[in-house]
Amino acid sequence: MQPIIPGVPRRRPWSLLVSGDLEPSGEVLEEITTIFELNPAIPGVELRGDGKWCTVVRDYPSGHTSGIDDALQVIFAEQPEIAEVHIYGSEARAAHVATHDAPFWHRDGKAIADINAQMQAGKISPAEAIDMLKALFESDRA
């Protein structure tokens, strides 16, 4: 994990993804970025006007959540007396508890890491990995 340097702003781990036939201006996109930064629980926005529309959401790079798992491992290593990190839930995802034995942000963190490792080792294709991950995340909605 990258160290935090005092006085140097951290780069956010996402960019904006815009889809649709309405093209928002740079200033509009800056304001949407502000909305997303002020309230991370907002998943996206839709802009409509003159018969056109677009959606704007956060676009995370592949593998971005491994940094969260890395941070959890550091927390447990740095302060062994911390036994659990409770990760609050939302409407879309149940709360989860990370532990020394399972330092993952997601309840299926070990399975996600295993799928990624298999894909990186060439044992499964990216399409197979996506199908396996979809199956895991579908169980979140059940």
Side-chain angles (χ1 to χ4, degrees), residues 9 27 77 82 86 108 113 115:
E27 186 166 330
I82 295 174
H86 288 248
D108 294 318
I115 291 167

Side-chain angles (χ1 to χ4, degrees), residues 118-132:
Q118 288 180 51
M119 185 181 71
Q120 296 299 324
K123 293 180 180 177
I124 60 173
S125 70
E128 290 172 309
I130 289 169
D131 289 342
M132 294 168 77

Side-chain angles (χ1 to χ4, degrees), residues 67-88:
I68 299 170
D69 292 342
D70 291 347
L72 288 168
Q73 289 177 4
V74 170
I75 289 168
F76 291 123
E78 183 66 27
Q79 275 192 262
E81 70 267 25
I82 295 174
E84 300 177 340
V85 175
H86 288 248
I87 299 169
Y88 296 150

Side-chain angles (χ1 to χ4, degrees), residues 47-114:
L47 306 174
R48 299 178 187 183
D50 294 332
K52 296 181 178 182
W53 64 273
C54 71
T55 58
V56 184
V57 297
R58 291 174 190 86
D59 184 31
Y60 289 91
S62 175
H64 77 281
T65 58
S66 65
I68 299 170
D69 292 342
D70 291 347
L72 288 168
Q73 289 177 4
V74 170
I75 289 168
F76 291 123
E78 183 66 27
Q79 275 192 262
E81 70 267 25
I82 295 174
E84 300 177 340
V85 175
H86 288 248
I87 299 169
Y88 296 150
S90 66
E91 288 180 26
R93 178 166 285 120
H96 172 67
V97 178
T99 64
H100 284 272
D101 294 333
F104 301 106
W105 72 276
H106 189 272
R107 67 183 172 139
D108 294 318
K110 180 155 179 29
I112 294 167
D114 289 345

